[in-house]
């Protein structure tokens, strides 16, 4: 259950990063509000998961999902540059996240 919270928190991190861009420096109301909601929910779920998980792997998975998700979203929906190197790099982040999760992080 704690890992599920980390995954959802990572997806919410993607949401807050995208909304941060869409807020244009907090000058647009609704993307700014969405940023705040996603950020609070993401940090809240990460905080709950850390009651049961080791901080290193949990934080790495959270940031990995957020980074990869944001990059993928940007390429698909925000006209961010798509390149072979970027796709390979995102794949390596995802592989690293999976490796950390499988590394035997304890659940107390």
């Amino acid at each position: 259950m704690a890992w599920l919270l980390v995954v959802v928190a990572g997806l919410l991190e993607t949401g807050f990063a995208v909304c941060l861009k869409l807020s244009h420096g907090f000058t647009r109301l609704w993307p700014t509000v969405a940023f705040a909601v996603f950020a609070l929910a993401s940090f809240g779920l990460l905080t709950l998961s850390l009651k049961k998980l080791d901080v290193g792997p949990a934080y790495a998975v959270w940031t990995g999902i957020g980074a990869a998700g944001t990059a993928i979203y940007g390429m698909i929906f925000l006209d961010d540059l798509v390149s072979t190197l970027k796709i390979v790099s995102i794949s390596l982040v995802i592989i690293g996240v999976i490796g950390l999760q499988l590394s035997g992080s304890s659940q107390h």
Side-chain angles (χ1 to χ4, degrees):
M1 181 62 164
W3 279 114
L4 178 61
L5 293 178
V6 173
V7 170
V8 174
L11 295 172
L12 291 168
E13 183 189 4
T14 296
F16 83 67
V18 169
C19 289
L20 187 60
K21 173 162 178 72
L22 298 177
S23 77
H24 289 260
F26 299 125
T27 61
R28 293 184 175 167
L29 177 62
W30 293 115
T32 299
V33 169
F35 160 79
V37 169
F38 284 131
L40 287 171
S42 180
F43 283 113
L45 292 178
L46 180 63
T47 299
L48 290 175
S49 73
L50 291 176
K51 291 181 178 182
K52 304 240 180 201
L53 300 174
D54 293 339
V55 68
Y59 184 76
V61 169
W62 177 73
T63 58
I65 291 170
T70 302
I72 292 167
Y73 186 95
M75 288 187 293
I76 294 172
F77 298 107
L78 301 176
D79 295 323
D80 286 359
L81 175 68
V82 178
S83 69
T84 301
L85 181 57
K86 188 180 276 190
I87 292 169
V88 168
S89 298
I90 291 168
S91 299
L92 290 171
V93 168
I94 293 168
I95 290 167
V97 164
I98 292 168
L100 279 167
Q101 203 280 333
L102 296 174
S103 70
S105 175
S106 65
Q107 284 192 357
H108 305 305

